[in-house]
Amino acid sequence: MPLPPPLMLTTGPVTAYPEVLAAMARPVVYDTDPAFQGFYEGVVEKARAALRLSNPPVILQGEAILGIEAAAAGLIRRDDVVLNLVSGVYGKGFGGWASRHGREVIELAVPYDAAIDPAAVAEALRRRPDIAVVSVCHLDTPSGTINPLAEIGAVVARHGGYMIVDAVSSFGGMDVHPEEVDADIFCASPSKCLGGTPGLTLLGVSERAWARIADNPDAPRASFLSLLDWRHAWRRDRPFPVTPSIPEIYGLDAALERYAAEGPEAVWARHALTARAARAGVRALGLELWPRSEAIAAPTATVFKLPAGISDEALRDRMRDRFGVLVSLGRRETAGKVLRLGHMGPAAQPVFAVTAIAALGAALRSLGLPAAAEAGVAAALAVIAGPASPTDDIPSSKASLGGNAALL
Ligand SMILES: *Cc1c(COP(=O)(O)O)cnc(C)c1O
């Protein structure tokens, strides 16, 4: 096993919190031991509270893409028309699953540095009253942009449609919850902003979506894609459809505990502040952000354009090998055009933005490119050291800095 990079500022998976890893090392118990079944019910209750749901969420036994595929397979009926909103790679990708299960997929796309306009969604629904399902990626990570989800949800709800949301890289890092945005299926992941590991999906499913899935003759059963199989798995008096990954459930429990203990608002505040510092640093270095405007820039990933004369891999490798900071490359349409600084879970520490900008500026210079490294660092630092920094009000921020000391 090669040594891990000293600081991992990736867009997921992220370095899990130490308490998550410690929990995962506990002995594996028999899944139908009543003690474990009771524990599992407690984990689902913690997830329900974090998601602010009025019904229990479902945990599926695979990382988030499983949940997204399961949402398509369960909710979309074979005669359905689906409106797929595309502002990036993940949104685009959902169209493939939607067309596997539905009759027709209509794509409403914007350039990958822009956000979906709710008025355009309303217009698309007006033109095609037969659209039954709308799918949207809230935060398309390869673009580092966010869509106005609550407004889109309100438009879809007025139309009477069902909305599937990929909130994998936003939930836990900002204020977004399924019922507040009228989502019918809301996919979240333990391995991004919750600081867990990549092995499970969390899904919020509305009661009307459950009714539609139960009515769908093609909804999977006896399958890892089955939402119905897992619907009641949270109940301590029900056996699991298959053995769940016990260590992953331990890890999720610890991640949810930590999220509640630190306080969601405090967690979101440190994600937002880290991203703000990173954006200020990128600009002061003389680089350009990928999102068209800061208003749509994600609080959990900062995506910037590569300067001319350097490849993404050369810059990524220099940052990692010489300066100890691992960042993410672009993906598909953004591959080769951008690099991405992740601010998710344990990596969402404002001071890490300063470190990232220092590493980026130094790497550019060492590769012979101009970079205002000192100005970049100063700009990032000015954001986090400002007198009105929101983290000044976070009582538990010291605990999270302590938890991350192992990373430095
Ligand atoms: C990380 C992520 C997923 C999970 O998919 P992987 O590509 O397997 O990591 C899904 N949606 C979004 C928006 C993500 O950022």
Side-chain angles (χ1 to χ4, degrees):
M1 178 65 193
L3 284 175
L7 188 58
M8 210 166 94
L9 302 182
T10 48
T11 54
V14 298
T15 317
Y17 287 115
E19 46 272 63
V20 168
L21 299 173
M24 292 177 80
R26 295 205 304 255
V28 169
V29 296
Y30 189 55
D31 61 319
T32 53
D33 182 323
F36 182 76
Q37 287 184 297
F39 174 77
Y40 188 92
E41 188 174 323
V43 178
V44 173
E45 172 51 28
K46 285 173 199 173
R48 189 200 62 72
L51 286 157
R52 300 188 180 167
L53 282 168
S54 49
N55 62 354
V58 165
I59 302 171
L60 286 191
Q61 296 293 308
E63 69 92 43
I65 289 294
L66 174 71
I68 293 164
E69 189 180 349
L75 191 72
I76 299 174
R77 294 198 294 225
R78 66 171 72 173
D79 58 346
D80 276 343
V81 179
V82 177
L83 176 65
N84 188 36
L85 307 180
V86 176
S87 58
V89 170
Y90 282 97
K92 178 83 182 171
F94 187 82
W97 290 304
S99 54
R100 185 183 299 165
H101 299 287
R103 173 164 63 83
E104 183 184 348
V105 179
I106 299 166
E107 187 177 286
L108 172 61
V110 294
Y112 287 8
D113 59 351
I116 303 280
D117 177 2
V121 179
E123 175 56 20
L125 294 172
R126 196 191 56 73
R127 254 186 280 130
R128 287 294 299 268
D130 56 342
I131 290 169
V133 176
V134 177
S135 45
V136 61
C137 180
H138 179 211
L139 191 167
D140 217 309
T141 328
S143 316
T145 52
I146 39 176
N147 285 309
L149 190 60
E151 288 164 75
I152 294 169
V155 166
V156 176
R158 267 201 299 282
H159 174 80
Y162 292 79
M163 185 166 77
I164 298 175
V165 176
D166 172 349
V168 171
S169 63
S170 57
F171 175 72
M174 61 184 289
D175 185 1
V176 61
H177 306 90
E179 291 177 4
E180 293 162 13
V181 297
D182 291 307
D184 288 289
I185 302 190
F186 183 94
C187 304
S189 165
S191 71
K192 303 243 168 141
C193 305
L194 289 177
T197 57
L200 301 173
T201 318
L202 285 177
L203 290 142
V205 182
S206 70
E207 288 302 325
R208 71 195 275 270
W210 277 125
R212 190 173 212 266
I213 296 166
D215 260 5
N216 178 4
D218 299 321
R221 274 291 198 181
S223 161
F224 268 79
L225 285 175
S226 180
L227 296 169
L228 292 168
D229 287 359
W230 286 92
R231 180 174 184 182
H232 298 293
W234 60 273
R235 285 178 48 173
R236 66 179 72 204
D237 58 346
R238 296 283 184 103
F240 295 107
V242 296
T243 308
S245 169
I246 310 285
E248 290 288 343
I249 301 297
Y250 290 155
L252 174 60
D253 179 64
L256 291 167
E257 276 282 347
R258 192 190 192 291
Y259 185 62
E262 185 176 349
E265 285 78 7
V267 176
W268 309 332
R270 71 177 158 80
H271 281 79
L273 185 60
T274 309
R276 228 164 15 93
R279 292 197 298 268
V282 163
R283 293 196 134 140
L285 274 177
L287 301 177
E288 232 184 295
L289 296 170
W290 173 263
R292 268 180 203 196
S293 87
E294 289 221 22
I296 61 165
T300 67
T302 296
V303 181
F304 61 90
K305 296 180 193 169
L306 283 170
I310 182 84
S311 85
D312 56 347
E313 288 186 9
L315 185 53
R316 190 263 321 257
D317 292 349
R318 183 57 59 98
M319 285 181 74
R320 183 195 196 281
D321 299 340
R322 176 106 42 111
F323 302 102
V325 176
L326 179 64
V327 300
S328 295
L329 302 176
R331 250 178 105 134
R332 295 185 190 259
E333 282 77 355
T334 64
K337 299 177 188 158
V338 302
L339 282 186
R340 300 184 287 157
L341 309 174
H343 327 293
M344 298 180 179
Q349 283 299 339
V351 76
F352 291 172
V354 183
T355 310
I357 297 301
L360 175 57
L364 285 167
R365 253 190 215 162
S366 79
L367 290 162
L369 290 160
E374 291 77 10
V377 168
L381 193 56
V383 171
I384 77 165
S389 153
T391 49
D392 291 346
D393 302 318
I394 299 172
S396 54
S397 65
K398 279 199 190 68
S400 71
L401 280 171
N404 281 296
L407 292 172
L408 289 168

